[in-house]
Amino acid sequence: MTKAIKLLTALPSPQRQHLMALAREVSFPEDARIFEAGGRADRFWVIRSGAVSLDQRVNSLHRVTVASLGAGDLLGWSWLFPPYQWDFGAEAFSPVRAYEFDAAAVLAACEEDPRLGLTLVRGVAEILAHRLEMTRGKLMEQYSMHRRGVL
């Protein structure tokens, strides 16, 4: 299984400093919806403190939590890929403080500094690979429980 990485610590110091120059500090109160699946993905966050749940809408009344994120975790990757729409929803599980990054500014910085672009994309790819493995494990566990009649 891949190891969970934290985006900012995964970046070499010069690229981290370049990226952090684009950050602004934000906060979300507990239970705040940060974004909805299908909405325009034009920013991303690195959580400084608090907890965020990623969810998927099952029907008009029910959401399923697919991941929980905490300090140091990347929140949002859909800003990197067309059609630039959120794949999941996100909600603050507790009060959250985060660094917010404007996607257009970060993408422009990546064009100016290809080393930043490469290290950033590699970091996001590692994070996605880890989350995919975690999701696969949860699905296998659910399937196993279903087969045994636990669910």
Side-chain angles (χ1 to χ4, degrees), residues 11 16 19 38 47 59 64 75 77 103 112:
L11 295 174
R16 183 174 49 253
L19 183 64
I47 301 169
N59 57 42
V64 173
L75 173 59
W77 61 75
E112 291 174 17

Side-chain angles (χ1 to χ4, degrees), residues 47-105:
I47 301 169
R48 295 179 58 211
S49 65
V52 173
S53 61
L54 292 179
D55 56 49
Q56 186 68 54
R57 187 175 290 279
V58 176
N59 57 42
S60 63
L61 300 175
H62 188 67
R63 300 175 198 265
V64 173
T65 297
V66 295
S68 296
L69 306 176
D73 285 333
L74 171 68
L75 173 59
W77 61 75
S78 299
W79 59 276
L80 265 175
F81 309 106
Y84 310 107
Q85 293 179 332
W86 298 117
D87 291 318
F88 301 100
E91 185 170 315
F93 188 71
S94 68
V96 171
R97 290 177 32 224
Y99 294 117
E100 182 177 82
F101 300 88
D102 177 83

Side-chain angles (χ1 to χ4, degrees), residues 20-146:
M20 289 307 295
L22 303 172
R24 73 181 191 107
E25 294 185 30
V26 297
S27 61
F28 301 100
E30 183 175 352
D31 297 329
R33 287 300 291 174
I34 300 170
F35 55 82
E36 292 287 351
R40 193 171 123 224
D42 59 357
R43 64 198 65 245
F44 66 97
W45 301 264
V46 173
I47 301 169
R48 295 179 58 211
S49 65
V52 173
S53 61
L54 292 179
D55 56 49
Q56 186 68 54
R57 187 175 290 279
V58 176
N59 57 42
S60 63
L61 300 175
H62 188 67
R63 300 175 198 265
V64 173
T65 297
V66 295
S68 296
L69 306 176
D73 285 333
L74 171 68
L75 173 59
W77 61 75
S78 299
W79 59 276
L80 265 175
F81 309 106
Y84 310 107
Q85 293 179 332
W86 298 117
D87 291 318
F88 301 100
E91 185 170 315
F93 188 71
S94 68
V96 171
R97 290 177 32 224
Y99 294 117
E100 182 177 82
F101 300 88
D102 177 83
V106 171
L107 291 171
C110 290
E111 290 290 326
E112 291 174 17
D113 180 359
R115 184 169 275 147
L116 171 63
L118 180 60
T119 57
L120 184 62
V121 168
R122 280 185 175 162
V124 172
E126 284 186 52
I127 291 166
L128 291 175
H130 176 75
R131 290 187 187 167
L132 178 60
E133 284 187 45
M134 297 301 291
T135 301
R136 181 177 27 205
K138 286 181 183 179
L139 286 172
M140 294 301 289
E141 183 180 310
Q142 290 284 331
Y143 177 75
S144 174
M145 291 171 67
H146 181 73

